[in-house]
Amino acid sequence: MKVLANDGISKAGENALKEAGIEILDNRVAQDHVINFINDNNVDVLLVRSVTKVRQELIDACPGLKIIGRGGIGMDNIDVEYARSKGIKVINTPTASSKSVAELVFGHFISLARFLHESNRLMPLEGDTHFSAMKKSFSNAYELSGKTLGVIGFGSIGQEVIKIGIALGMKVTVLTRSPKTEVLTLNFFNGQSVDFEITSTNDMDAFLKDADFISINTPKTNEYIIDTPQFEKMKDGVYIVNTARGGVINEVTLIDFIESGKIAGAALDVFENEPSPELPLLMNPALSLSPHVGGNTVDAQEKIGIELAEQIIKLQKETIR
């Protein structure tokens, strides 16, 4: 079996595949040349992240493909159902990067609540001349402890966000399409663990009214989850972080509500116009920004690589049988 990891794979994943006798091609092939490369090199498995698109045209043009793997959760860059209709196995790693994304959510929350995103920009420029003024300006900050964390989405990332919120002493509310209950376990360094039973709500109005900090952790949507009607129902001075997908929040309206003072601050790791976010977003001092790096940690990439390798090895054994 031959594997093309076109968007890369961790060394741990690569080693696991090699130990199983599977050949790994760690090439980076431009989208326009992927079809030819797959066919010319008799590739059985195509591994991608978010860069390479696996659409119907590629699937039809590469009859030798047996497995398509996505390093991560969302598979909107793959025509999943069409691939499966052609007998191709489609795999992903739904939990491997969840902790990394959740930690980024709180990196942004803390940065917003303590003005770190702004002070980090201004201190090198004005720290020697306006130190006292900035100290006064940035003193109107907030603790997260005791505040209400609102999480939109109850998947693996949403659950990790909730766990961190609980550990920080936050109250938690969860919004889903239909109410559901999950038992979340917080594991500690000394072997102790505590279970929390969390029940979500589908009452958007009540959810928005209560939340001081809102984290969006949903799959890609065809329309905005958060737009003018939702912004209007939020608590004054709310903080929002989107690490889900571009297009789940109306970015233009978000700026309007930040400028009106309704929203204290927001963070975006994903954008409607990736990889060219709109300039008003990039220049707004009330926004904490990152370039779609939620799952991009060494730890997450290692887990992703190992998880993909394990699934490929398992599928290979099943095929041999």
Side-chain angles (χ1 to χ4, degrees):
M1 183 173 280
K2 192 178 290 188
V3 175
L4 170 62
N6 203 44
D7 296 342
I9 188 171
S10 68
K11 199 67 181 176
E14 181 180 340
N15 290 339
L17 290 170
K18 287 179 178 178
E19 288 172 9
I22 295 172
E23 184 179 352
I24 177 78
L25 305 174
D26 192 15
N27 296 71
R28 301 292 193 280
V29 184
Q31 184 73 51
D32 293 344
H33 302 290
V34 172
I35 290 173
N36 288 337
F37 187 92
I38 289 172
N39 291 330
D40 292 346
N41 292 275
N42 299 315
V43 171
D44 302 288
V45 181
L46 174 61
L47 301 182
V48 303
R49 292 206 67 215
S50 57
V51 176
T52 305
K53 314 300 181 194
V54 189
R55 301 301 180 201
Q56 181 174 336
E57 177 189 4
L58 186 151
I59 294 165
D60 286 337
C62 300
L65 270 183
K66 299 179 179 66
I67 302 170
I68 298 168
R70 165 69 161 93
I73 299 175
M75 296 196 288
D76 40 282
N77 58 321
I78 302 171
D79 287 341
V80 176
E81 294 308 318
Y82 186 78
R84 287 173 174 160
S85 74
K86 295 293 183 178
I88 299 172
K89 300 287 186 181
V90 183
I91 59 176
N92 67 338
T93 57
T95 62
S97 59
S98 299
K99 290 182 185 294
S100 290
V101 178
E103 288 184 6
L104 181 67
V105 169
F106 279 90
H108 278 302
F109 274 147
I110 293 170
S111 181
L112 289 166
R114 299 303 302 268
F115 303 104
L116 297 180
H117 63 298
E118 195 170 358
S119 62
N120 279 331
R121 286 196 295 253
L122 293 178
M123 280 295 287
L125 301 174
E126 303 177 16
D128 58 338
T129 57
H130 294 83
F131 189 94
S132 296
M134 282 192 287
K135 180 178 180 179
K136 183 177 180 180
S137 175
F138 297 149
S139 293
N140 191 27
Y142 291 96
E143 295 180 355
L144 275 67
S145 177
K147 305 301 189 300
T148 297
L149 169 66
V151 180
I152 302 177
F154 213 179
S156 59
I157 294 175
Q159 292 183 20
E160 293 298 332
V161 170
I162 293 165
K163 290 178 185 179
I164 296 176
I166 292 171
L168 288 173
M170 302 183 80
K171 305 168 189 175
V172 174
T173 62
V174 185
L175 181 70
T176 52
R177 286 193 182 92
S178 301
K180 57 190 277 190
T181 299
E182 298 282 356
V183 176
L184 306 186
T185 303
L186 271 67
N187 296 305
F188 298 95
F189 70 97
N190 60 359
Q192 295 186 68
S193 63
V194 181
D195 290 342
F196 291 85
E197 185 174 278
I198 306 292
T199 300
S200 67
T201 179
N202 61 353
D203 187 339
M204 172 75 86
D205 291 355
F207 172 87
L208 295 174
K209 180 182 176 183
D210 290 340
D212 299 296
F213 293 82
I214 296 175
S215 176
I216 307 173
N217 304 107
T218 65
K220 184 177 176 63
T221 57
N222 294 323
E223 57 188 21
Y224 297 127
I225 295 174
I226 302 294
D227 204 345
T228 299
Q230 290 74 41
F231 285 126
E232 289 175 341
K233 293 170 183 174
M234 291 179 186
K235 183 182 291 189
D236 289 347
V238 67
Y239 293 93
I240 305 169
V241 174
N242 180 23
T243 57
R245 285 288 187 271
V248 302
I249 187 170
N250 187 329
E251 296 170 352
V252 174
T253 309
L254 172 66
I255 296 295
D256 292 340
F257 279 89
I258 287 174
E259 291 178 349
S260 74
K262 177 74 173 182
I263 297 170
L268 301 174
D269 182 55
V270 290
F271 303 85
E272 288 191 70
N273 294 318
E274 290 187 28
S276 303
E278 301 294 342
L279 192 59
L281 295 172
L282 302 179
M283 300 300 291
N284 194 295
L287 286 174
S288 179
L289 305 172
S290 52
H292 202 158
V293 293
N296 289 4
T297 63
V298 171
D299 309 85
Q301 294 311 304
E302 191 151 301
K303 292 175 193 172
I304 286 170
I306 292 171
E307 194 169 321
L308 283 172
E310 289 173 345
Q311 291 183 71
I312 292 166
I313 293 166
K314 181 180 178 182
L315 288 170
Q316 182 192 41
K317 290 178 178 177
E318 290 175 355
T319 301
I320 293 172
R321 288 188 201 136

